Amino acid sequence: MKKIKSIPVSRGVCGVFLLLMTVVILNSCSKDYTGVAPVDPNVPVSFSEQIIPIFTASCATASTCHKPGGHVPDLTPTHAYDELLGLGYVDSTNAAGSKLYTIINASSNYMPKDGKLSGDKISLIFNWIKQGAQNN
């Protein structure tokens, strides 16, 4: 059997090598942020294009509560705006105090019951209210 000759290496060289490899590995890792971008409060929010889809997907489907004949307010596309404003769920002069916002942003007993909305969706609804709760 042939004996392998070892090459002496100082601890400093090993430390530098390990540090360099750690930096290379960590730099090669990245998170793909292809989800929803943070909500910009200065960008106008469209009720029909941005808010209604949230209600349709989370609150007013066949398996959820806020539909005709279900719990008030009716959040289906044809009734949501009139019900939210007419029943006092939205106060555009006090977005943070709006009943709609406090319900979806609560730490417990929030809506929808099957899972809290994402922070981006809550922010979008908040910004819509703050921007005057337009029926646009």
Side-chain angles (χ1 to χ4, degrees):
M1 184 179 270
K2 192 172 185 180
K3 192 173 185 181
I4 299 175
K5 188 176 180 182
S6 64
I7 301 172
V9 178
S10 72
R11 288 185 182 175
V13 172
C14 285
V16 169
F17 177 75
L18 287 174
L19 179 63
L20 180 63
M21 291 307 298
T22 302
V23 169
V24 168
I25 291 170
L26 290 177
N27 279 337
S28 68
C29 295
S30 65
K31 183 165 177 73
D32 184 14
Y33 292 100
T34 57
V36 177
V39 178
D40 183 346
N42 300 312
V43 174
V45 179
S46 168
F47 183 72
S48 61
E49 293 179 17
Q50 294 171 285
I51 304 302
I52 284 294
I54 295 170
F55 294 154
T56 300
S58 304
C59 312
T61 64
S63 63
T64 57
C65 304
H66 297 278
K67 57 189 176 202
H71 293 288
V72 173
D74 177 347
L75 295 177
T76 56
T78 54
H79 298 106
Y81 187 81
D82 291 336
E83 294 240 340
L84 287 172
L85 274 70
L87 297 174
Y89 280 85
V90 173
D91 178 357
S92 61
T93 63
N94 180 13
S98 287
K99 189 173 183 179
L100 173 62
Y101 178 71
T102 58
I103 290 170
I104 63 172
N105 196 43
S107 57
S108 63
N109 295 324
Y110 51 79
M111 294 285 172
K113 291 291 186 194
D114 62 349
K116 190 170 184 173
L117 295 175
S118 70
D120 288 341
K121 289 178 182 175
I122 292 170
S123 293
L124 198 62
I125 293 169
F126 176 81
N127 289 341
W128 169 72
I129 297 168
K130 192 170 183 175
Q131 292 172 6
Q134 300 298 307
N135 189 8
N136 55 358

